[in-house]
Amino acid sequence: MERVRIGTAAAPNGSALRIIAEHRDARGRLLPRRIAAVELLNILRPTVAVDRFIVFAALALHDHPHWRERLREDGGGELTETFVQEVRRYYPFFPVAVARVRRAFDWQGHHFPQGRRVLLDLYGTNHHPELWPQPERFLPERFAGRTPDPYAFVPQGGGEHLAGHRCAGEWITIELMKRAVTNLTSTMAYQVPPQNLAVSLRRMPALPPSGFVIDQVRSTA
Ligand code: HEM
């Protein structure tokens, strides 16, 4: 941050680094150096974390190869979005959101005393059989032509974005995943050598033990 501010480090116009380094508050003051650095990390960290979902998208293409051709033809359109949404529903990335009760309340016959730690089961909600028919099947079609219910579809937190703390980066996540799926299906060919692709729910955030190793990669663009 300091080097960008004094001009000894390059930061392209419009980059997060430059915008945050040069941001001024209502009184015209720059952000304290440490706060500015944390704000930059708040952009970088979750953006890098999307690679987990991209691994799961690659795994979904491997497990359901008939989707490759359909997605290649779709070229990042609506079908790709349904595929990406189903990846976010089906695969276990972020298992729970944790909170502590600030003011006691009752909800659906349960008492929540002040100070009690509570977990919102994101994975369980995304696989609840009353909300999702055949929840253990990978069916991107279930997202076709519908806006997902913000209380049933909770891969990055639940509820409304504007009223709560649901992830502000969901749209960025979806776009990055769509681009990755389009790259994997339209611009490259590859082989998937034998490896352990079983996903254990004991690992947080979850990932196949081998990651997702590909070889014989060729450009087809
Ligand atoms: C791997 C993808 C991601 C996952 C699994 C994820 C997950 C989450 C979760 C669970 C929350 C808390 C929701 C709640 O308390 O109800 C959250 C909040 C947040 N996320 Fe993400 N996120 C991801 C990507 C991103 C990206 C790419 C950005 C932006 C670059 C981002 C920005 C934020 C912000 C700013 C908040 C705080 C919102 C608030 O407190 O009002 N996230 N995220």
Side-chain angles (χ1 to χ4, degrees):
M1 283 297 159
E2 219 161 62
R3 286 171 53 209
V4 169
R5 283 175 177 171
I6 61 177
T8 59
N13 276 335
S15 64
L17 176 56
R18 178 170 291 279
I19 289 172
I20 294 169
E22 294 180 349
H23 178 78
R24 290 182 185 271
D25 66 14
R27 294 214 223 133
R29 290 173 309 195
L30 291 170
L31 291 170
R33 187 179 55 171
R34 191 169 178 282
I35 303 280
V38 169
E39 291 296 351
L40 183 61
L41 288 175
N42 284 346
I43 299 286
L44 292 179
R45 189 183 45 238
T47 306
V48 172
V50 176
D51 74 341
R52 297 269 168 152
F53 271 148
I54 292 174
V55 167
F56 286 130
L59 184 58
L61 285 171
H62 181 65
D63 288 342
H64 309 280
H66 60 285
W67 275 92
R68 288 195 76 90
E69 188 53 40
R70 297 178 69 185
L71 293 170
R72 188 179 312 132
E73 281 169 12
D74 184 54
E78 276 172 34
L79 201 62
T80 311
E81 182 143 337
T82 63
F83 185 86
V84 158
Q85 294 290 53
E86 181 69 339
V87 169
R88 297 199 310 138
R89 183 197 72 83
Y90 182 82
Y91 289 95
F93 177 172
F94 203 89
V96 292
V98 188
R100 205 178 281 282
V101 176
R102 293 173 71 185
R103 279 187 301 275
F105 66 97
D106 290 292
W107 182 76
Q108 295 200 358
H110 297 280
H111 181 62
F112 291 78
Q114 188 183 359
R116 169 72 48 86
R117 180 175 286 195
V118 289
L119 305 176
L120 169 60
D121 182 353
L122 302 179
Y123 182 79
T125 306
N126 286 337
H127 289 77
H128 199 298
E130 282 170 23
L131 303 171
W132 303 98
Q134 300 184 283
E136 300 309 330
R137 290 191 63 198
F138 183 84
L139 299 172
E141 307 76 324
R142 64 173 93 240
F143 285 100
R146 60 175 273 230
T147 309
D149 178 331
Y151 296 90
F153 185 49
V154 296
Q156 291 171 228
E160 309 284 350
H161 288 98
L162 294 183
H165 286 275
R166 190 183 178 107
C167 177
E170 278 197 289
W171 296 276
I172 297 177
T173 304
I174 292 167
E175 281 313 308
L176 289 172
M177 290 176 69
K178 281 164 68 176
R179 285 193 196 192
V181 165
T182 304
N183 280 342
L184 288 167
T185 54
S186 308
T187 69
M188 59 197 281
Y190 52 86
Q191 297 294 319
V192 181
Q195 58 193 288
N196 183 359
L197 292 172
V199 179
S200 165
L201 295 183
R202 287 164 167 259
R203 179 174 169 159
M204 285 198 295
L207 202 67
S210 59
F212 189 81
V213 179
I214 58 176
D215 64 13
Q216 300 179 49
V217 180
R218 305 180 304 286
S219 168
T220 57

